[in-house]
Structure formats: C-alpha cells, structure tokens
Amino acid sequence: MCQSEKPQGPELQAAAKWLYFPQLALRRRLGQLSCMSRPALKLRSWPLTILYYLLPFGALRPLSRVGWRPVSRVALYKSVPTRLLSRAWGRLNQVELPSWLRRPVYSLYIWTFGVNMTEAAVEDLQHYRNLSEFFRRKLKPQARPVCGLHSVISPSDGKILTFGQVKNCEVEQVKGVTYSLESFLGPRACTEDLPFPPASSHDSFRNQLVTREGNELYHCVIYLAPGDYHCFHSPTDWTVSHRRHFPGSLMSVNPGMARWIKELFCHNERVVLTGDWKHGFFSLTAVGATNVGSIRIYFDRDLQTNSPRYSKGSYNDLSFVTHANKEGVPMRKGEHLGEFNLGSTIVLIFEAPKDFNFRLKAGQKIRFGEALGSL
C-alpha cells in the first residue's frame, strides 16, 4: 500500500480531532456576530484585529461574511501608546542600579548592540549609576576627530539612510518612501526673527527656503541605532535663530519601520532648529522615537519633550533672536548641540551652491566628525 493511502492510527486521529475542535468552536461562536450591529462590530474591531493577526489557520475568516475587515497593521501599530511606554522607560532609566547589578546589565546591552566602550571617556561600568547615564556617556576627545577640510560633517554616529537634492518639495526618509518638506518643517511664519523670507503664495515651499540665486536645497538622514553614541553636534559653522517643537507620536524610526509607514518623521515628535550658514538656509531636526521621548538641546532650557498631553498637529515656536541678541545662537562645527536618551534620527536640510557634493553612500556607517560633503 502506498504511503498516501496508509490509514491513520487511533492516536493520530484523536490528536487531529483535538486540534480541530477549538478552531471549529471558535468559528461557530464568531458566526453569531452576524446579528451584531455595525457600531458594535466597530467597537470590537481592535481585539478582533489582534486575534486575526495572531491566530493561525484563518480562524477569523468567517467574519468577512458579515462585512468585517481587520484594521491594517500600520493603524494597529499607531494605536500602541508609545508615548506612555517611552515615559515609563525614561523613568526606569533614572532608577539607580545597585553596584553588583551594573556590570551584568551594561555588559548585556554592550553585547546586544555592539557598543565600543574603549571609546568612552569612562570605561568603568561601575561609574554609571543608571541606564540614562550609560546611554549619554561621553567619548574620549581623540575618539572623534573633527574633519576640518570639509564644510559639513556628520553631527552624530549612525547609518546614512538617504541624501541628495530636495525635489518637488518631497524628502526621502528611506529609498522610495518620501514625506512632505512643509509637513516636516511646519508652515512658514512671517516673522522677522526667522532666517528665511516671508512666505509667498506664488512660490513652492522649497523655493521659499532657498534664499540665494543659483543654490539648491539638500537633505541628509542619519539613523542612530541603540548602540551608537547618543549625543549630536553641530555639523557646520552656523547660527541657530529659531526652534520649533512638534509633539507627536514616538514610533520606531528604524529603517524597516521607515519603509513601512509613509511620512513617519512627520508623525513623530521632533525638534526643528533653523538658522543660516555661509551659503544660506540651514536646519537640523532631531526626531524622537520609541523609548526616545527625551530630546535635549543644551542651550534651550525651555524645551520639554514627551509631555503627557498634547494637541495633534500642534507645535510651539521659540526665537533665539532677542533685543539683546540680534543674531541668535552661534554654533561652531563639532560643538556639542544636544542628545537623545537612546537612539533616533537626525535630518539635515540646508541650502548650498549647485556644486555641493556629498561624499557618502546610502547605507554606510558614519561617525561624528567625518565628512558629509563640501564644495
């Protein structure tokens, strides 16, 4: 007798019946939803969606007969309370660890994310009282020499996601996935302290940022992994005249998630610093992420990120141009600018002449102080 015709034993039949029974019972129970009203179905949409993606064998497919469709994975992920989780993580980071626990905890993190502690100013793991101090560790001065030959350097350690000219008012967050330049930086404000001229209804948003004839607008996106150095520095000599803070979500910004969610950087909380350098407009944006609700700018004591409540789509502005300071905050290339509590993303958007050239490759690892590009 061939193998396909071989009868099953009593044990196999009993096992198959035992496995099939819960699925059959679940199908019958869900069939009772056919008499449920649409509002009731909508109310139960989220739990059913979670079950839909978790349960095997298409157990919830009978629900399609009553017009039910699962919520998309993106919408499901957006519903996760990432801000609350990030605040809880931030408080956990502040808890002082016992001396005997520090070495095993930090060693596990170092092994998991490939942290190079030989570059740290303090290599002794017992020195860091809590996770927050460990994440924000400083480097030895000689660990990151600042390139003096090129006009723009990397403000942080990380991975280059995208770079190039800004075209059609769209910026790439990863290859093939874009977001709106205006949504990311926010609407133009007609105030004297901003480093760019007032908005005109006849110009595109990109053209309004380009202040000098013959210049182009460029961008560069740098992703900071959890194992990277978490501080960021000034990428060039420039003057910061304005800060715009967007409260928002704190979704993961790893490259995989950036391919999945369109305009991810526009949804997430971020701090946009704008000003000017020798070639015109210049901006640096620190984008928050899950467990990275805390974004700190060293010269901005009024900045409070990851607040418990905020209005969706809102933002608040702060000008560094005052009667006492007519120019703003001058920053030297390589100077300390701010820090994240874990890892996140830095987005540079700046104006430069047409012969500006990036010295990069998409996907390459880069360290603070290395050249991004020059004329």
Side-chain angles (χ1 to χ4, degrees):
M1 183 180 297
C2 65
Q3 187 175 2
S4 60
E5 298 176 353
K6 185 177 181 180
Q8 294 182 345
E11 296 82 1
L12 291 176
Q13 291 179 354
K17 184 177 181 181
W18 183 83
L19 290 172
Y20 182 70
F21 177 76
Q23 180 186 354
L24 181 62
L26 182 59
R27 286 176 181 268
R28 289 175 178 173
R29 179 70 184 89
L30 293 173
Q32 299 174 7
L33 292 173
S34 59
C35 60
M36 188 180 295
S37 64
R38 284 191 177 275
L41 275 175
K42 187 176 181 180
L43 181 64
R44 299 192 180 186
S45 180
W46 290 107
L48 288 175
T49 296
I50 295 173
L51 289 174
Y52 179 86
Y53 290 122
L54 292 181
L55 291 177
F57 312 123
L60 300 189
R61 286 179 184 173
L63 283 179
S64 61
R65 299 171 185 172
V66 296
W68 180 83
R69 292 293 182 274
V71 177
S72 70
R73 287 182 172 88
V74 173
L76 186 64
Y77 176 67
K78 288 182 179 179
S79 69
V80 176
T82 52
R83 293 179 65 85
L84 178 62
L85 294 175
S86 297
R87 284 196 297 274
W89 175 255
R91 292 187 179 182
L92 179 63
N93 288 348
Q94 299 294 332
V95 175
E96 184 170 345
L97 296 177
S99 298
W100 61 270
L101 190 59
R102 294 175 188 176
R103 188 173 297 279
V105 169
Y106 299 146
S107 296
L108 177 62
Y109 187 91
I110 291 169
W111 177 80
T112 302
F113 297 107
V115 179
N116 185 1
M117 285 301 293
T118 61
E119 298 176 335
V122 180
E123 297 183 37
D124 183 12
L125 299 181
Q126 296 288 349
H127 170 79
Y128 303 101
R129 296 173 298 178
N130 52 49
L131 288 168
S132 181
E133 288 187 1
F134 178 74
F135 294 147
R136 295 181 287 106
R137 63 193 176 276
K138 304 300 181 184
L139 299 181
K140 297 173 181 175
Q142 66 274 17
R144 295 290 187 276
V146 175
C147 177
L149 299 178
H150 301 279
S151 54
V152 183
I153 62 169
S154 175
S156 65
D157 289 7
K159 179 181 179 180
I160 300 296
L161 296 187
T162 61
F163 62 92
Q165 288 189 15
V166 177
K167 298 180 180 179
N168 301 323
C169 297
E170 294 284 323
V171 184
E172 278 192 327
Q173 61 186 25
V174 291
K175 188 173 180 59
V177 181
T178 63
Y179 57 91
S180 164
L181 179 63
E182 185 170 5
S183 298
F184 182 69
L185 296 179
R188 299 289 300 279
C190 300
T191 54
E192 296 180 356
D193 57 273
L194 291 180
F196 33 76
S200 169
S201 59
H202 302 289
D203 293 334
S204 69
F205 188 81
R206 172 197 166 280
N207 292 338
Q208 292 167 17
L209 297 181
V210 177
T211 61
R212 301 182 185 181
E213 187 176 355
N215 281 1
E216 296 288 345
L217 200 63
Y218 298 87
H219 79 281
C220 182
V221 180
I222 305 172
Y223 167 67
L224 287 73
D228 289 326
Y229 169 55
H230 297 330
C231 296
F232 51 93
H233 302 245
S234 175
T236 191
D237 296 332
W238 65 308
T239 301
V240 183
S241 57
H242 185 263
R243 180 264 286 164
R244 176 169 284 168
H245 171 220
F246 292 84
S249 302
L250 288 172
M251 294 180 282
S252 172
V253 293
N254 70 65
M257 195 63 65
R259 295 186 188 95
W260 196 28
I261 301 178
K262 182 177 174 59
E263 296 202 335
L264 171 62
F265 296 161
C266 297
H267 291 302
N268 271 15
E269 182 163 16
R270 59 197 182 278
V271 177
V272 182
L273 300 178
T274 54
D276 59 278
W277 70 317
K278 60 184 179 180
H279 298 297
F281 173 80
F282 198 96
S283 73
L284 180 149
T285 302
V287 183
T290 306
N291 297 333
V292 197
S294 176
I295 302 173
R296 183 183 175 191
I297 304 298
Y298 294 139
F299 57 77
D300 187 358
R301 296 182 179 180
D302 296 328
L303 179 63
Q304 297 289 334
T305 58
N306 198 11
S307 300
R309 295 182 180 180
Y310 72 97
S311 299
K312 187 175 181 179
S314 65
Y315 60 86
N316 57 78
D317 292 329
L318 176 67
S319 173
F320 298 115
V321 178
T322 63
H323 293 291
N325 182 5
K326 298 292 185 180
E327 296 183 356
V329 181
M331 297 296 301
R332 303 295 297 174
K333 183 167 65 175
E335 186 177 353
H336 280 83
L337 182 55
E339 62 187 33
F340 295 109
N341 259 354
L342 191 56
S344 194
T345 299
I346 295 288
V347 180
L348 301 179
I349 299 175
F350 58 93
E351 174 185 1
K354 292 183 178 180
D355 56 350
F356 181 87
N357 292 313
F358 284 102
R359 300 178 179 273
L360 303 171
K361 293 182 180 178
Q364 79 171 70
K365 293 287 292 183
I366 197 167
R367 305 201 302 177
F368 155 62
E370 295 179 348
L372 285 184
S374 62
L375 299 174

